[in-house]
Short mmCIF file of all heavy atoms in Angstrom, two decimals:
data_model
loop_
_atom_site.label_atom_id
_atom_site.label_comp_id
_atom_site.label_asym_id
_atom_site.label_seq_id
_atom_site.Cartn_x
_atom_site.Cartn_y
_atom_site.Cartn_z
N LYS Y 187 108.99 124.55 142.74
CA LYS Y 187 108.08 124.66 143.89
C LYS Y 187 108.43 123.59 144.93
O LYS Y 187 108.46 123.85 146.12
CB LYS Y 187 106.65 124.49 143.38
CG LYS Y 187 105.59 124.28 144.42
CD LYS Y 187 105.04 125.57 144.95
CE LYS Y 187 103.91 125.30 145.94
NZ LYS Y 187 103.42 126.51 146.56
N ASP Y 188 108.66 122.36 144.46
CA ASP Y 188 108.93 121.26 145.39
C ASP Y 188 109.78 120.20 144.70
O ASP Y 188 109.33 119.58 143.74
CB ASP Y 188 107.58 120.66 145.86
CG ASP Y 188 107.78 119.43 146.73
OD1 ASP Y 188 108.76 119.41 147.51
OD2 ASP Y 188 106.96 118.51 146.63
N ARG Y 189 110.98 120.00 145.21
CA ARG Y 189 111.92 119.08 144.54
C ARG Y 189 111.37 117.66 144.46
O ARG Y 189 111.52 116.97 143.48
CB ARG Y 189 113.27 119.09 145.26
CG ARG Y 189 114.22 120.12 144.70
CD ARG Y 189 115.65 119.90 145.16
NE ARG Y 189 116.19 118.63 144.70
CZ ARG Y 189 116.86 117.78 145.47
NH1 ARG Y 189 117.07 118.04 146.71
NH2 ARG Y 189 117.33 116.66 144.97
N TYR Y 190 110.70 117.21 145.56
CA TYR Y 190 110.17 115.84 145.53
C TYR Y 190 109.14 115.70 144.41
O TYR Y 190 109.21 114.77 143.60
CB TYR Y 190 109.53 115.44 146.88
CG TYR Y 190 108.76 114.15 146.70
CD1 TYR Y 190 109.44 112.93 146.59
CD2 TYR Y 190 107.37 114.15 146.52
CE1 TYR Y 190 108.76 111.75 146.34
CE2 TYR Y 190 106.69 112.97 146.26
CZ TYR Y 190 107.38 111.77 146.18
OH TYR Y 190 106.72 110.61 145.91
N THR Y 191 108.20 116.64 144.34
CA THR Y 191 107.14 116.56 143.32
C THR Y 191 107.75 116.58 141.92
O THR Y 191 107.31 115.85 141.03
CB THR Y 191 106.12 117.71 143.48
OG1 THR Y 191 105.68 117.72 144.83
CG2 THR Y 191 104.93 117.54 142.58
N GLY Y 192 108.80 117.42 141.73
CA GLY Y 192 109.47 117.50 140.43
C GLY Y 192 110.08 116.17 140.02
O GLY Y 192 109.87 115.68 138.93
N GLY Y 193 110.82 115.56 140.98
CA GLY Y 193 111.45 114.27 140.71
C GLY Y 193 110.40 113.20 140.46
O GLY Y 193 110.52 112.38 139.53
N HIS Y 194 109.36 113.23 141.28
CA HIS Y 194 108.26 112.26 141.15
C HIS Y 194 107.62 112.37 139.77
O HIS Y 194 107.38 111.37 139.09
CB HIS Y 194 107.24 112.55 142.26
CG HIS Y 194 105.89 111.96 142.05
ND1 HIS Y 194 105.62 110.61 142.20
CD2 HIS Y 194 104.70 112.52 141.68
CE1 HIS Y 194 104.34 110.38 141.95
NE2 HIS Y 194 103.75 111.53 141.63
N THR Y 195 107.39 113.61 139.31
CA THR Y 195 106.77 113.85 138.01
C THR Y 195 107.58 113.20 136.89
O THR Y 195 107.03 112.54 136.01
CB THR Y 195 106.68 115.38 137.78
OG1 THR Y 195 105.72 115.90 138.70
CG2 THR Y 195 106.27 115.73 136.38
N LYS Y 196 108.90 113.39 136.94
CA LYS Y 196 109.75 112.83 135.88
C LYS Y 196 109.77 111.30 135.93
O LYS Y 196 109.76 110.64 134.90
CB LYS Y 196 111.17 113.40 135.98
CG LYS Y 196 111.21 114.85 135.53
CD LYS Y 196 112.55 115.48 135.79
CE LYS Y 196 112.45 116.99 135.54
NZ LYS Y 196 113.51 117.73 136.18
N ARG Y 197 109.76 110.75 137.14
CA ARG Y 197 109.75 109.27 137.25
C ARG Y 197 108.42 108.71 136.76
O ARG Y 197 108.38 107.70 136.05
CB ARG Y 197 110.01 108.84 138.70
CG ARG Y 197 111.43 109.10 139.18
CD ARG Y 197 111.69 108.38 140.50
NE ARG Y 197 110.79 108.81 141.56
CZ ARG Y 197 111.00 109.86 142.36
NH1 ARG Y 197 112.08 110.60 142.22
NH2 ARG Y 197 110.14 110.16 143.31
N VAL Y 198 107.32 109.40 137.08
CA VAL Y 198 106.01 108.92 136.63
C VAL Y 198 105.95 108.94 135.09
O VAL Y 198 105.44 108.02 134.45
CB VAL Y 198 104.86 109.77 137.24
CG1 VAL Y 198 103.51 109.41 136.62
CG2 VAL Y 198 104.80 109.55 138.74
N ALA Y 199 106.53 110.00 134.49
CA ALA Y 199 106.56 110.07 133.02
C ALA Y 199 107.37 108.90 132.45
O ALA Y 199 107.00 108.30 131.43
CB ALA Y 199 107.16 111.40 132.56
N TYR Y 200 108.45 108.56 133.14
CA TYR Y 200 109.30 107.45 132.71
C TYR Y 200 108.54 106.13 132.80
O TYR Y 200 108.47 105.35 131.83
CB TYR Y 200 110.55 107.42 133.61
CG TYR Y 200 111.43 106.23 133.48
CD1 TYR Y 200 112.18 106.02 132.33
CD2 TYR Y 200 111.53 105.30 134.52
CE1 TYR Y 200 113.02 104.91 132.22
CE2 TYR Y 200 112.37 104.20 134.42
CZ TYR Y 200 113.10 104.00 133.27
OH TYR Y 200 113.93 102.91 133.17
N TYR Y 201 107.89 105.86 133.95
CA TYR Y 201 107.14 104.61 134.11
C TYR Y 201 105.94 104.55 133.14
O TYR Y 201 105.67 103.52 132.55
CB TYR Y 201 106.62 104.47 135.55
CG TYR Y 201 107.71 104.37 136.60
CD1 TYR Y 201 107.64 105.08 137.79
CD2 TYR Y 201 108.82 103.55 136.39
CE1 TYR Y 201 108.64 104.99 138.75
CE2 TYR Y 201 109.83 103.44 137.35
CZ TYR Y 201 109.74 104.18 138.52
OH TYR Y 201 110.73 104.08 139.46
N ALA Y 202 105.24 105.69 133.02
CA ALA Y 202 104.05 105.72 132.14
C ALA Y 202 104.45 105.42 130.69
O ALA Y 202 103.75 104.71 129.97
CB ALA Y 202 103.35 107.08 132.23
N SER Y 203 105.61 105.96 130.26
CA SER Y 203 106.07 105.70 128.88
C SER Y 203 106.39 104.22 128.69
O SER Y 203 106.10 103.64 127.64
CB SER Y 203 107.31 106.52 128.55
OG SER Y 203 106.98 107.88 128.60
N LEU Y 204 106.98 103.60 129.73
CA LEU Y 204 107.30 102.17 129.63
C LEU Y 204 106.01 101.34 129.54
O LEU Y 204 105.93 100.38 128.77
CB LEU Y 204 108.12 101.71 130.84
CG LEU Y 204 109.55 102.24 130.92
CD1 LEU Y 204 110.26 101.67 132.14
CD2 LEU Y 204 110.34 101.86 129.67
N ILE Y 205 105.00 101.71 130.31
CA ILE Y 205 103.72 100.98 130.26
C ILE Y 205 103.08 101.16 128.88
O ILE Y 205 102.62 100.21 128.25
CB ILE Y 205 102.76 101.47 131.38
CG1 ILE Y 205 103.35 101.15 132.75
CG2 ILE Y 205 101.38 100.84 131.23
CD1 ILE Y 205 102.66 101.84 133.92
N ALA Y 206 103.09 102.43 128.39
CA ALA Y 206 102.47 102.74 127.08
C ALA Y 206 103.10 101.91 125.96
O ALA Y 206 102.43 101.53 125.00
CB ALA Y 206 102.62 104.23 126.79
N LYS Y 207 104.39 101.61 126.13
CA LYS Y 207 105.12 100.83 125.11
C LYS Y 207 104.48 99.46 124.89
O LYS Y 207 104.57 98.90 123.81
CB LYS Y 207 106.56 100.67 125.63
CG LYS Y 207 107.55 100.23 124.61
CD LYS Y 207 108.94 100.28 125.23
CE LYS Y 207 109.84 99.23 124.64
NZ LYS Y 207 111.15 99.21 125.27
N TYR Y 208 103.82 98.93 125.91
CA TYR Y 208 103.21 97.59 125.81
C TYR Y 208 101.70 97.67 125.58
O TYR Y 208 100.99 96.72 125.86
CB TYR Y 208 103.53 96.78 127.08
CG TYR Y 208 105.01 96.44 127.14
CD1 TYR Y 208 105.92 97.33 127.72
CD2 TYR Y 208 105.49 95.27 126.56
CE1 TYR Y 208 107.27 97.04 127.74
CE2 TYR Y 208 106.85 94.98 126.58
CZ TYR Y 208 107.73 95.87 127.17
OH TYR Y 208 109.07 95.59 127.17
N MET Y 209 101.21 98.82 125.07
CA MET Y 209 99.76 98.98 124.94
C MET Y 209 99.27 99.22 123.53
O MET Y 209 98.18 99.70 123.33
CB MET Y 209 99.28 100.11 125.85
CG MET Y 209 99.38 99.73 127.30
SD MET Y 209 98.25 100.61 128.33
CE MET Y 209 96.68 99.99 127.85
N ASP Y 210 100.08 98.96 122.54
CA ASP Y 210 99.62 99.08 121.17
C ASP Y 210 99.05 100.47 120.88
O ASP Y 210 97.96 100.61 120.32
CB ASP Y 210 98.56 97.98 120.91
CG ASP Y 210 98.32 97.78 119.42
OD1 ASP Y 210 99.23 98.10 118.65
OD2 ASP Y 210 97.22 97.31 119.04
N LEU Y 211 99.77 101.50 121.31
CA LEU Y 211 99.33 102.88 121.07
C LEU Y 211 100.09 103.44 119.87
O LEU Y 211 101.18 102.98 119.54
CB LEU Y 211 99.61 103.75 122.30
CG LEU Y 211 98.98 103.31 123.61
CD1 LEU Y 211 99.33 104.30 124.72
CD2 LEU Y 211 97.48 103.18 123.50
N THR Y 212 99.52 104.49 119.26
CA THR Y 212 100.25 105.18 118.19
C THR Y 212 101.35 106.02 118.85
O THR Y 212 101.25 106.34 120.05
CB THR Y 212 99.32 106.12 117.41
OG1 THR Y 212 98.85 107.13 118.32
CG2 THR Y 212 98.13 105.39 116.80
N PRO Y 213 102.39 106.41 118.09
CA PRO Y 213 103.43 107.26 118.69
C PRO Y 213 102.83 108.53 119.28
O PRO Y 213 103.27 109.02 120.32
CB PRO Y 213 104.34 107.58 117.49
CG PRO Y 213 104.12 106.46 116.53
CD PRO Y 213 102.70 106.03 116.70
N GLU Y 214 101.79 109.06 118.62
CA GLU Y 214 101.17 110.29 119.12
C GLU Y 214 100.47 110.06 120.46
O GLU Y 214 100.60 110.86 121.39
CB GLU Y 214 100.15 110.78 118.09
CG GLU Y 214 99.93 112.26 118.16
CD GLU Y 214 99.31 112.81 116.88
OE1 GLU Y 214 99.68 112.35 115.78
OE2 GLU Y 214 98.45 113.66 117.01
N GLN Y 215 99.77 108.91 120.58
CA GLN Y 215 99.10 108.59 121.85
C GLN Y 215 100.13 108.38 122.96
O GLN Y 215 99.93 108.83 124.09
CB GLN Y 215 98.25 107.32 121.69
CG GLN Y 215 96.97 107.54 120.91
CD GLN Y 215 96.25 106.23 120.62
OE1 GLN Y 215 96.87 105.22 120.27
NE2 GLN Y 215 94.95 106.22 120.77
N SER Y 216 101.23 107.70 122.63
CA SER Y 216 102.28 107.47 123.63
C SER Y 216 102.86 108.79 124.11
O SER Y 216 103.16 108.97 125.30
CB SER Y 216 103.41 106.61 123.05
OG SER Y 216 102.91 105.37 122.69
N GLU Y 217 103.03 109.72 123.17
CA GLU Y 217 103.57 111.02 123.54
C GLU Y 217 102.60 111.77 124.44
O GLU Y 217 103.01 112.46 125.38
CB GLU Y 217 103.86 111.82 122.24
CG GLU Y 217 104.48 113.19 122.44
CD GLU Y 217 105.76 113.19 123.26
OE1 GLU Y 217 106.35 112.14 123.51
OE2 GLU Y 217 106.14 114.30 123.70
N MET Y 218 101.29 111.62 124.19
CA MET Y 218 100.29 112.26 125.05
C MET Y 218 100.31 111.67 126.46
O MET Y 218 100.10 112.36 127.45
CB MET Y 218 98.89 112.13 124.43
CG MET Y 218 98.65 113.04 123.25
SD MET Y 218 98.86 114.80 123.63
CE MET Y 218 100.43 115.13 122.88
N VAL Y 219 100.58 110.36 126.54
CA VAL Y 219 100.68 109.71 127.86
C VAL Y 219 101.86 110.33 128.62
O VAL Y 219 101.75 110.69 129.80
CB VAL Y 219 100.89 108.18 127.69
CG1 VAL Y 219 101.30 107.54 129.02
CG2 VAL Y 219 99.63 107.52 127.15
N ARG Y 220 103.00 110.48 127.93
CA ARG Y 220 104.20 111.05 128.57
C ARG Y 220 103.91 112.49 129.06
O ARG Y 220 104.26 112.86 130.17
CB ARG Y 220 105.37 111.04 127.58
CG ARG Y 220 106.72 111.27 128.21
CD ARG Y 220 107.80 111.33 127.15
NE ARG Y 220 107.74 112.55 126.37
CZ ARG Y 220 108.30 113.69 126.72
NH1 ARG Y 220 109.01 113.76 127.82
NH2 ARG Y 220 108.18 114.76 125.97
N CYS Y 221 103.24 113.26 128.18
CA CYS Y 221 102.96 114.66 128.55
C CYS Y 221 101.95 114.72 129.70
O CYS Y 221 102.09 115.55 130.61
CB CYS Y 221 102.43 115.44 127.34
SG CYS Y 221 103.71 115.71 126.12
N ALA Y 222 100.93 113.84 129.66
CA ALA Y 222 99.94 113.82 130.76
C ALA Y 222 100.66 113.52 132.08
O ALA Y 222 100.35 114.12 133.11
CB ALA Y 222 98.87 112.76 130.49
N ALA Y 223 101.63 112.60 132.01
CA ALA Y 223 102.38 112.25 133.23
C ALA Y 223 103.21 113.45 133.72
O ALA Y 223 103.25 113.74 134.92
CB ALA Y 223 103.27 111.05 132.96
N LEU Y 224 103.85 114.15 132.78
CA LEU Y 224 104.66 115.32 133.18
C LEU Y 224 103.78 116.42 133.78
O LEU Y 224 104.24 117.21 134.59
CB LEU Y 224 105.43 115.86 131.97
CG LEU Y 224 106.64 115.04 131.52
CD1 LEU Y 224 107.18 115.56 130.20
CD2 LEU Y 224 107.74 115.05 132.58
N LEU Y 225 102.52 116.46 133.34
CA LEU Y 225 101.63 117.54 133.79
C LEU Y 225 100.74 117.13 134.97
O LEU Y 225 100.03 117.97 135.52
CB LEU Y 225 100.71 117.97 132.63
CG LEU Y 225 101.39 118.59 131.41
CD1 LEU Y 225 100.39 118.75 130.26
CD2 LEU Y 225 102.00 119.94 131.77
N HIS Y 226 100.79 115.84 135.37
CA HIS Y 226 99.72 115.35 136.25
C HIS Y 226 99.65 116.07 137.60
O HIS Y 226 98.57 116.26 138.14
CB HIS Y 226 99.82 113.82 136.43
CG HIS Y 226 100.82 113.36 137.44
ND1 HIS Y 226 102.17 113.33 137.18
CD2 HIS Y 226 100.67 112.92 138.73
CE1 HIS Y 226 102.80 112.86 138.25
NE2 HIS Y 226 101.93 112.62 139.20
N ASP Y 227 100.78 116.51 138.12
CA ASP Y 227 100.73 117.17 139.43
C ASP Y 227 100.96 118.68 139.34
O ASP Y 227 101.34 119.31 140.34
CB ASP Y 227 101.79 116.54 140.36
CG ASP Y 227 101.21 115.35 141.13
OD1 ASP Y 227 99.97 115.18 141.13
OD2 ASP Y 227 101.99 114.59 141.72
N VAL Y 228 100.74 119.26 138.15
CA VAL Y 228 101.03 120.68 137.98
C VAL Y 228 100.19 121.54 138.92
O VAL Y 228 100.61 122.62 139.35
CB VAL Y 228 100.87 121.07 136.49
CG1 VAL Y 228 99.42 121.28 136.10
CG2 VAL Y 228 101.68 122.29 136.14
N GLY Y 229 99.01 121.01 139.30
CA GLY Y 229 98.13 121.76 140.21
C GLY Y 229 98.76 121.95 141.58
O GLY Y 229 98.32 122.83 142.35
N LYS Y 230 99.80 121.17 141.91
CA LYS Y 230 100.45 121.31 143.23
C LYS Y 230 101.18 122.64 143.36
O LYS Y 230 101.55 123.05 144.44
CB LYS Y 230 101.38 120.13 143.49
CG LYS Y 230 100.59 118.86 143.80
CD LYS Y 230 101.47 117.70 144.22
CE LYS Y 230 100.58 116.49 144.54
NZ LYS Y 230 101.38 115.26 144.76
N ILE Y 231 101.37 123.32 142.20
CA ILE Y 231 101.92 124.68 142.24
C ILE Y 231 101.01 125.56 143.10
O ILE Y 231 101.46 126.48 143.78
CB ILE Y 231 102.02 125.27 140.80
CG1 ILE Y 231 103.08 124.52 140.00
CG2 ILE Y 231 102.32 126.76 140.82
CD1 ILE Y 231 103.14 124.90 138.53
N GLY Y 232 99.72 125.25 143.09
CA GLY Y 232 98.75 126.09 143.82
C GLY Y 232 98.51 125.62 145.24
O GLY Y 232 97.66 126.19 145.94
N ILE Y 233 99.19 124.57 145.71
CA ILE Y 233 99.01 124.09 147.10
C ILE Y 233 100.04 124.78 148.00
O ILE Y 233 101.23 124.84 147.66
CB ILE Y 233 99.20 122.54 147.17
CG1 ILE Y 233 98.21 121.82 146.23
CG2 ILE Y 233 99.09 122.04 148.61
CD1 ILE Y 233 96.77 121.84 146.64
N GLU Y 234 99.56 125.25 149.13
CA GLU Y 234 100.49 126.01 150.00
C GLU Y 234 101.61 125.11 150.52
O GLU Y 234 101.42 123.91 150.77
CB GLU Y 234 99.74 126.70 151.14
CG GLU Y 234 98.79 125.80 151.89
CD GLU Y 234 97.90 126.57 152.83
OE1 GLU Y 234 98.40 127.49 153.50
OE2 GLU Y 234 96.71 126.24 152.92
N ASP Y 235 102.79 125.73 150.69
CA ASP Y 235 104.01 124.99 151.06
C ASP Y 235 103.86 124.17 152.35
O ASP Y 235 104.38 123.07 152.45
CB ASP Y 235 105.18 125.96 151.21
CG ASP Y 235 105.74 126.34 149.85
OD1 ASP Y 235 105.26 125.78 148.84
OD2 ASP Y 235 106.66 127.18 149.79
#
Side-chain angles (χ1 to χ4, degrees):
K187 168 87 177 176
D188 175 36
R189 269 194 63 226
Y190 168 75
T191 308
H194 162 74
T195 291
K196 287 173 190 160
R197 290 192 300 274
V198 172
Y200 170 70
Y201 297 136
S203 296
L204 290 182
I205 296 168
K207 195 173 150 183
Y208 291 88
M209 291 205 69
D210 196 24
L211 303 182
T212 63
E214 206 161 321
Q215 285 173 318
S216 297
E217 182 54 14
M218 286 302 104
V219 168
R220 194 183 72 85
C221 290
L224 285 171
L225 296 171
H226 81 283
D227 270 347
V228 80
K230 287 187 178 171
I231 292 173
I233 302 289
E234 49 190 318
D235 281 356

